[in-house]
Each structure stands twice: as structure tokens, then as C-alpha cells.
Amino acid sequence: MWTDKQRGIRVSQEELLCKNACGYYGNPAWKGFCSKCWRERSRPPGSQTQDTRPSSDGAPPTFSKFEEKKNIEKGRRISTVRRLFWGSASPSKPQETSESHTKMLKAYESLEPGDFTGFLKILRSPSSQRLQSRCTAFLNTMEAYHNLQIQKQSDLVQDFYQSFAEYFRSFPESQVTQIMEHVEKLIMTRLHKWVFCHDSCDDEQKDLALQRRIRSLNWVTPQMLSVPFPDEDTPVTGDPFLPAITAIIEMDAKRAPQDKLACVSKCSQHIFEALSTSNNEPANADDFLTSLVYVVLKANPPRLHSNMQYMIRFGLPHSLMAGESGYYFTNLSCAVAFIEKLDGPALNLSPEQFDGYMRGQRAPATLRRQQKANNTQKLLEELQGRQEKLHQGVNALNMQLQKWGEVVNSQLDEITRQFDKVQKVITAQMEASEVGTSSAEDGSQQKEEEQQPECEALKETV
């Protein structure tokens, strides 16, 4: 049985999209914009892009001076990126031959999806020496300037992604995406220790604040959030969202942004599986978001804010702006924003009831019953474990007694066999001695009988 209560959280598909109506997913961290629109809005006023296309009457653009200044700034930026990639503003290395370039492109075209080891082998091949040098130079430069502001480091990494992707502009978009995912994993696995939770930002303080906030909301029940959850009368074996909780906790152990994002996707997929399996019907977006809020409250993932900011700053933009992973990440951002602003009306509680729960003066009846049921279940599991250990001990003792009896019986059988052998040897010796004595007596008597005629003949002769 599932609750039919009105959902506490409702977010339409349109509300998840970018406020600039570009078609990509927005994010609360970007004030509702996608990463592309947010970066454009965050640029200094002198570097914003203007529409310089000619008007419908054929008049030339009126921002010629601004366009010239923009081109100068763009040239400086390209020069800076080149210094990062090649080590100098004007690379002195000779251009690659068309033959080696074609060979390298064919190698990348034959790369299997998800084959990161194969990507590394191709990158280390002689035909990809230039790309490998660019990666090495960029990594060395980023490590040397790891004290830069975190936003500047983010811009440098994003510029590197864009420049590297230009090398494969002749490839289909799917193949470019695949290659860039390998590049991201290579670069950010190395830079993780330098840029994650950087000293120039307040990610650590926000992590602690978010953890305290989630910990203070440990009294929130699935019924308060209107999460589709089995009723008390329905027999269940554990929390159906436990795999999702485990997946979101594993996110902090990953280093590459795409691996962290994969944990978010895995968590979301487990939520959909739990909803569809228990509800026997496809889950909707409202059920998913409320369930994700419940999972985050129960898991209280370590360094959640830092992990999300790490993916935003250094992940591939397309992974967060579109597709399945972008949808899941956007919902996670909405869930965190909801938790930070959670109040009584969102849980169908009065302000007094909400304050009482927050101070620990009240506890939901369902929560008390659940705690009591959990304690009883733990006690039963403990007793069951003791009983299993007792049975194991009895079985082990029986096995030892059985083995001991078998050893004793085998020793007795061996002693009996040895005794029989000795007895047979003694009997054989006695019989042999008796036979020898009787044979000697018979021989002496026969000899006397043979000598008796000779004695009689001698007497007659005398």
C-alpha cells in the first residue's frame, strides 16, 4: 500500500531548464542558468559578446571599436592558452605530417567506448606525441600555479577542454564526447588534490554547515516528505532506498568529475527502481525528487557541497547541461536547495511543530514506532546471530568428537592388526621348531637301522 497524500515538492520540467531558454538544464548554483549562459553572464562587462551581425537593411555593424577590442582580448586569451599547452606563445615544434595525423585520428576512431586504458595507450603512441605533450605541459602549469583563484583554474581547465576538442572537430559529436571524457578523467585525476575544496573558496565551511543542517533534520520521515513508501502494515525487508543511499555516499571516494557524476546517476537509477518495483507503475518526476531528498537526508553524504562544486567547475559542460546525467544532477541540486530552505509548510507542519522537532522536543509517532521496530529487529538479529554461533559451536564439537572416535578406532584397528601379525609369526616359529626336532629324531633312527646290518656282519666275521 502506498500513500495517496499530496506531494510536498512539485517541480515541472520547464523549471529545470535554463532561465535563458537555451534548452539546456539550469542549476541553482548558476542562479537557474546553464553553465554556458552562466559563464557568459559572469564575464566582465568589457568582454561580453555582442551581436555584430548586419541589420536587415544591409547597414554595417556599429560596434567596430568594440569588435576590435574584443578581438585583441581574444588574441591575448588564445596566447595564454597556448603558453599553457605548448610552453611558449609560438610553438616551435614542426607541424605534424598528414600521414601521422591521419594515423592518429584512425587510432582514436577505433577506440571502444569506456576504454580508458586503450585511450592512454593511443595517447602515449608516437603519433599522439603532440597531444601528450600538451596534456603534460598543461598539468605541469596547473600544478605550478595551484594557488590561483579557483574560478580562474576552472576557466583554464574549461579552455583546455575546448582547445583539445578542436583537434577532433572532424569527428562525430558522440566520438568527441567519448574522447573528452577520457581527457577529463586523465586531467582531473591528477589535479584533484590541488583543486578539490580549494583554499581560495569557502567550500569546507559550506560542507560543515550543510552536514549540520542535514543532521538536524534526521527526524524527517518519508510520510512528511510524501515519499512513496510502504505503509506500516506492509511487510518490508529493510529500506528500499538503501542501494541509492550507498551509491551517493560512494561519490566522495571518486576523483574524476565524471566518476562522481556516475555515482549520482547510479543513485538516481536505484531510486527509480525502488519506486517502480514497490509501486508497480512508472515513477513520476515529483516522486523522484521527493525520494532524492529523502535519500540525501538519510545518507548525509560527506563533503556534498564540495563534490557538487567540483563537478560544476571541472566537469565537461555537456554532462551537466543535457542528457540523463544532467537531469539527475539538476535534481540533486534542487534537492540540496530544498533541504537548505526546508520549513514547516513544506512538510505540512505548523511553525511551532517544526521548531519543536528541530529542538528535539517532539518526535513523530511513526519515527518512534520505526525506532522501536528497528531496535526489536536489531535484538532479534543479535539473538539469531548468537543462536547461529551456538549451533556452529555444537556442530564443530560434534565434528571433533566424530573425528576423535575415528582416530581411536583406527588406532585400535592398527594395534589389532599388529598383534595378529606378531601372533602369527610366533606360531609359525613354534611350528617350525617342532618340525625340525621330529625330523632330527627320524634321521638318527634311520641311520641306526642302516648301521645295524653292518655291525652284525662284522660280528660274524670275527
Side-chain angles (χ1 to χ4, degrees):
M1 298 295 295
W2 292 77
T3 178
D4 295 329
K5 194 175 180 180
Q6 183 72 17
R7 299 284 176 258
I9 310 175
R10 287 184 174 274
V11 178
S12 64
Q13 181 71 15
E14 290 74 16
E15 292 175 320
L16 296 178
L17 296 177
C18 176
K19 293 168 62 175
N20 213 22
C22 64
Y24 294 110
Y25 287 115
N27 196 289
W30 301 319
K31 308 300 181 183
F33 294 95
C34 67
S35 63
K36 181 179 179 182
C37 297
W38 174 250
R39 288 181 184 277
E40 291 179 354
R41 291 175 61 89
S42 301
R43 290 174 181 171
S47 61
Q48 288 183 350
T49 304
Q50 300 289 339
D51 190 1
T52 59
R53 293 174 297 181
S55 58
S56 58
D57 57 357
T62 59
F63 299 102
S64 57
K65 292 184 179 181
F66 172 76
E67 186 69 19
E68 182 180 356
K69 183 178 180 181
K70 186 183 72 171
N71 291 334
I72 294 174
E73 292 293 334
K74 184 177 180 181
R76 291 177 179 175
R77 190 173 184 181
I78 293 175
S79 178
T80 302
V81 172
R82 284 179 175 175
R83 282 197 300 269
L84 290 175
F85 295 160
W86 292 298
S88 62
S90 299
S92 57
K93 295 183 179 180
Q95 296 293 329
E96 297 173 317
T97 63
S98 59
E99 182 179 355
S100 61
H101 182 75
T102 304
K103 182 180 180 181
M104 184 271 296
L105 292 180
K106 288 183 178 179
Y108 282 104
E109 285 179 345
S110 61
L111 186 65
E112 295 292 333
D115 187 8
F116 182 67
T117 304
F119 168 77
L120 293 179
K121 290 181 179 179
I122 298 175
L123 187 64
R124 293 168 183 167
S125 63
S127 59
S128 297
Q129 184 176 3
R130 189 181 182 211
L131 294 181
Q132 183 182 6
S133 300
R134 294 177 71 176
C135 292
T136 303
F138 178 74
L139 288 172
N140 294 336
T141 304
M142 290 293 295
E143 290 183 4
Y145 294 94
H146 65 273
N147 290 326
L148 288 174
Q149 294 293 321
I150 191 63
Q151 189 57 45
K152 292 183 179 180
Q153 297 192 55
S154 173
D155 292 339
L156 289 174
V157 171
Q158 296 297 333
D159 289 341
F160 176 80
Y161 290 157
Q162 185 176 2
S163 175
F164 203 98
E166 285 294 323
Y167 205 81
F168 303 96
R169 57 182 176 270
S170 61
F171 282 23
E173 184 178 355
S174 59
Q175 287 187 339
V176 176
T177 300
Q178 172 190 332
I179 294 173
M180 292 310 301
E181 287 177 352
H182 295 316
V183 173
E184 180 214 82
K185 189 170 186 178
L186 172 66
I187 296 298
M188 296 315 303
T189 301
R190 174 93 171 263
L191 297 181
H192 177 270
K193 63 181 179 179
W194 299 111
V195 300
F196 184 81
C197 200
H198 198 265
D199 294 337
S200 64
C201 58
D202 57 350
D203 289 348
E204 185 175 358
Q205 290 76 12
K206 290 185 178 180
D207 282 330
L208 295 175
L210 182 58
Q211 284 188 341
R212 287 193 295 266
R213 174 66 174 175
I214 294 177
R215 196 179 300 116
S216 67
L217 294 171
N218 61 353
W219 49 268
V220 177
T221 63
Q223 290 75 20
M224 291 180 177
L225 292 169
S226 300
V227 176
F229 206 84
D231 292 338
E232 298 178 3
D233 299 333
T234 304
V236 294
T237 56
D239 194 333
F241 296 100
L242 183 59
I245 295 173
T246 303
I248 197 68
I249 291 176
E250 292 176 352
M251 177 177 60
D252 188 59
K254 308 299 181 180
R255 291 193 291 178
Q258 61 177 284
D259 293 337
K260 293 181 181 293
L261 190 59
C263 292
V264 177
S265 299
K266 184 178 179 181
C267 168
S268 303
Q269 291 168 0
H270 283 309
I271 290 176
F272 276 112
E273 291 175 2
L275 293 175
S276 60
T277 302
S278 303
N279 204 18
N280 295 323
E281 61 182 21
N284 54 46
D286 294 333
D287 290 340
F288 168 67
L289 184 55
T290 55
S291 301
L292 184 58
V293 171
Y294 170 76
V295 167
V296 173
L297 289 175
K298 286 299 179 182
N300 197 358
R303 301 190 292 185
L304 178 58
H305 175 79
S306 293
N307 281 294
M308 294 178 63
Q309 290 299 315
Y310 179 73
M311 287 184 279
I312 290 173
R313 293 166 181 155
F314 301 102
L316 295 173
H318 71 84
S319 300
L320 304 179
M321 293 165 52
E324 191 177 61
S325 59
Y327 175 77
Y328 293 150
F329 184 80
T330 302
N331 277 272
L332 177 62
S333 302
C334 293
V336 173
F338 175 82
I339 291 173
E340 292 175 340
K341 299 178 181 179
L342 185 62
D343 55 6
L347 301 176
N348 296 321
L349 299 175
S350 64
E352 294 76 14
Q353 289 176 326
F354 184 81
D355 293 339
Y357 287 130
M358 293 296 290
R359 295 193 185 100
Q361 299 174 355
R362 300 171 60 95
T366 55
L367 180 60
R368 290 196 296 268
R369 287 194 294 268
Q370 184 178 0
Q371 292 177 346
K372 186 176 180 179
N374 292 337
N375 294 334
T376 304
Q377 184 177 1
K378 289 181 180 179
L379 181 60
L380 291 175
E381 291 176 354
E382 183 179 356
L383 293 176
Q384 185 178 2
R386 292 180 180 179
Q387 186 177 6
E388 290 178 357
K389 290 182 179 179
L390 181 61
H391 283 308
Q392 292 176 359
V394 172
N395 293 334
L397 182 60
N398 289 333
M399 292 293 294
Q400 292 178 358
L401 290 175
Q402 184 178 357
K403 291 181 179 179
W404 179 77
E406 293 175 355
V407 171
V408 171
N409 291 332
S410 62
Q411 290 179 351
L412 288 175
D413 294 340
E414 182 66 21
I415 292 173
T416 302
R417 287 194 297 270
Q418 294 293 337
F419 179 77
D420 292 339
K421 288 182 180 180
V422 172
Q423 188 176 11
K424 289 180 180 179
V425 170
I426 294 174
T427 303
Q429 291 178 353
M430 292 178 62
E431 291 178 353
S433 61
E434 290 177 357
V435 170
T437 303
S438 60
S439 299
E441 292 178 353
D442 294 339
S444 60
Q445 183 177 1
Q446 183 178 1
K447 188 175 182 180
E448 290 178 357
E449 291 178 355
E450 290 177 354
Q451 290 178 355
Q452 186 175 2
E454 294 180 358
C455 292
E456 291 179 354
L458 183 59
K459 288 180 181 181
E460 290 178 357
T461 305
V462 174

